[in-house]
Amino acid sequence: MADYSNKIRPVYDQDETIYIYTTFYLSSIVEVDAVQQRLVTTAHLGISWTDELLQWDESSTGIERLYFKQKDIWTPDVVLMNGVKKFEELGGEFYYVEVIPDGTVYWYPYQIFESKCDIDITYFPFDTQICNFVFVSWSFLKSELNITLYEENAPIEYYDYVQNSVWDIVHSTSQTSPEYEADAKVTFTLTLRRKPQYYVMNLILPVVLLGVISLLVFVIPADAGEKMSFAVTVFLAFAVFLSIISMQLPVNSEKTSMLGVYLIFQMTLGVGTIILSSFQLRIHYRKSERKVGKFYRGIVTMERFLRCKICLKSSPQGKSNRQSFQQDVNWDDVSSALDFSCFWVMLLLEVAAIIIFVLHLI
């Protein structure tokens, strides 16, 4: 060790390539930050290479292995290329590396990795994300230091893995850089699927129930005095849920969450409900002396036809029925007909929105 230097590559012929074999051992998924678009994990790399300057005869020395502190021998400058923080050396001063007689060095640097991950929120909370860990030698070319894998397309290994409460690992793989690239790098890929139970129970289900409750605006009698306040309360509830969801999603103009679109649609229906309720209350309190126009009579005609209260089929008494109908219509009837019509129109829109939302998520 007297002539050993940890500042040069450990080969006698400096034109030779050193092959660095790597494996990724995942311990836990700490966080998938959709707002900052990053993946935080605890893991360690299994790295091995051959140090020609650290070879000895086991039979004559009786030494099976030696341990050196990381800083005392040459180690490759492997860094996380797609990290969100500054480049840092793997391991630390207190880490030891293992060396066996043929010069093979084993190094297992353990740390918290914070890597970039492009989060696609379109199908939140039923989304699947693909995140990569890209490790590269920052200083050396591939002809000098070639980072590779023990086995191409091998899955990520697990070491004392702790399940995450929000994400499941669906698939994992690994690959090396193509031959034509000058830089040597390895990429470990994780495919994650979100567990939607929490969001279904605390976001989606309350939003759907609020949409159903909003229909009751057209059931409350105009004389009750609570029609407008109820409509505004439901609208504000949708606004609160939209703000809750927006805090969990990244600021992104390229991809929009289907759940966010559904909430915007519900808020639009809420605005329509407030407008229709205001108009219906104005109709309800109109003076009885004002004549009911043909348009409003048509609404009452449709409402009574759907309720099957009166039949306008042609009959010998059809003329007298029409005359009686025209005389019976007042503004209270128009107000009731508006409530009836708006209820069924909004119900159809609610059902259509839920069906479209579910079909897009499947």
Side-chain angles (χ1 to χ4, degrees):
M1 292 292 293
D3 298 328
Y4 187 90
S5 174
N6 60 3
K7 296 180 175 59
I8 61 173
R9 294 186 307 127
V11 288
Y12 291 110
D13 184 358
Q14 290 297 310
D15 291 331
E16 289 185 4
T17 302
I18 297 180
Y19 288 89
I20 308 296
Y21 296 93
T22 57
T23 306
F24 192 84
Y25 295 91
L26 181 65
S27 296
S28 67
I29 298 173
V30 178
E31 181 185 10
V32 180
D33 192 339
V35 178
Q36 300 294 329
Q37 300 208 42
R38 65 185 181 126
L39 170 65
V40 183
T41 56
T42 56
H44 72 273
L45 285 175
I47 305 175
S48 68
W49 67 93
T50 299
D51 190 323
E52 295 181 359
L53 306 181
L54 292 177
Q55 296 177 338
W56 68 90
D57 184 8
E58 180 182 357
S59 59
S60 62
T61 61
I63 300 175
E64 296 181 356
R65 60 180 56 83
L66 291 173
Y67 293 93
F68 299 91
K69 279 199 170 184
Q70 174 182 320
K71 65 177 181 178
D72 292 335
I73 68 170
W74 181 90
T75 53
D77 60 336
V78 178
V79 294
L80 181 63
M81 186 177 181
N82 63 331
V84 297
K85 302 190 299 184
K86 65 178 182 179
F87 284 165
E88 295 179 349
E89 181 184 10
L90 295 180
E93 293 185 357
F94 62 92
Y95 278 81
Y96 281 83
V97 297
E98 177 187 358
V99 185
I100 59 177
D102 63 357
T104 303
V105 182
Y106 296 99
W107 182 31
Y108 301 98
Y110 184 98
Q111 64 186 73
I112 297 176
F113 293 103
E114 297 186 25
S115 57
K116 300 173 186 175
C117 185
D118 186 16
I119 306 295
D120 185 355
I121 60 168
T122 303
Y123 301 105
F124 172 86
F126 300 93
D127 51 329
T128 300
Q129 308 297 338
I130 299 177
C131 300
N132 296 322
F133 304 89
V134 182
F135 292 95
V136 64
S137 172
W138 190 248
S139 303
F140 297 99
L141 298 176
K142 184 182 290 187
S143 59
E144 298 170 323
L145 193 151
N146 191 350
I147 302 179
T148 185
L149 300 165
Y150 287 102
E151 180 183 353
E152 188 74 17
N153 298 321
I156 288 176
E157 302 289 342
Y158 299 99
Y159 179 80
D160 288 342
Y161 180 71
V162 179
Q163 288 283 346
N164 187 271
S165 60
V166 180
W167 296 90
D168 278 328
I169 298 177
V170 180
H171 178 68
S172 65
T173 186
S174 57
Q175 61 182 4
T176 56
S177 58
E179 290 294 334
Y180 58 82
E181 290 189 3
D183 295 328
K185 57 187 176 184
V186 292
T187 303
F188 300 96
T189 303
L190 273 180
T191 303
L192 306 175
R193 179 182 297 147
R194 193 190 302 267
K195 299 176 182 178
Q197 292 88 343
Y198 171 81
Y199 300 97
V200 170
M201 296 299 297
N202 293 277
L203 287 179
I204 296 179
L205 190 58
V207 168
V208 172
L209 293 178
L210 277 175
V212 175
I213 291 175
S214 65
L215 298 175
L216 299 180
V217 173
F218 302 108
V219 178
I220 299 175
D223 293 329
E226 299 294 333
K227 203 176 187 69
M228 285 300 299
S229 60
F230 184 81
V232 172
T233 300
V234 173
F235 175 79
L236 293 177
F238 280 122
V240 170
F241 273 100
L242 182 61
S243 64
I244 293 175
I245 293 178
S246 63
M247 288 188 296
Q248 303 186 40
L249 301 180
V251 180
N252 194 331
S253 298
E254 296 179 357
K255 300 169 185 176
T256 304
S257 169
M258 290 297 302
L259 182 57
V261 173
Y262 176 72
L263 275 176
I264 292 295
F265 178 77
Q266 290 286 5
M267 292 183 67
T268 303
L269 291 184
V271 172
T273 299
I274 294 174
I275 295 174
L276 290 172
S277 297
S278 303
F279 182 71
Q280 185 261 347
L281 287 174
R282 184 175 179 83
I283 292 293
H284 179 76
Y285 289 106
R286 275 189 177 177
K287 296 180 179 180
S288 57
E289 293 81 7
R290 293 189 61 176
K291 182 180 178 181
V292 179
K294 291 183 179 180
F295 174 75
Y296 298 116
R297 289 178 181 273
I299 295 176
V300 178
T301 302
M302 179 185 66
E303 182 258 347
R304 290 184 176 178
F305 177 77
L306 293 176
R307 289 177 182 269
C308 297
K309 284 186 175 181
I310 184 169
C311 183
L312 299 179
K313 294 181 179 179
S314 58
S315 64
Q317 294 81 21
K319 184 176 181 180
S320 60
N321 283 343
R322 294 190 191 94
Q323 292 175 350
S324 174
F325 167 73
Q326 293 174 357
Q327 294 175 356
D328 291 342
V329 174
N330 54 41
W331 290 112
D332 287 341
D333 296 327
V334 175
S335 174
S336 177
L338 284 174
D339 269 342
F340 179 84
S341 303
C342 292
F343 174 85
W344 286 105
V345 170
M346 290 296 182
L347 178 61
L348 291 176
L349 289 175
E350 286 283 351
V351 173
I354 293 174
I355 292 175
I356 294 173
F357 176 63
V358 172
L359 289 178
H360 274 82
L361 294 178
I362 296 177

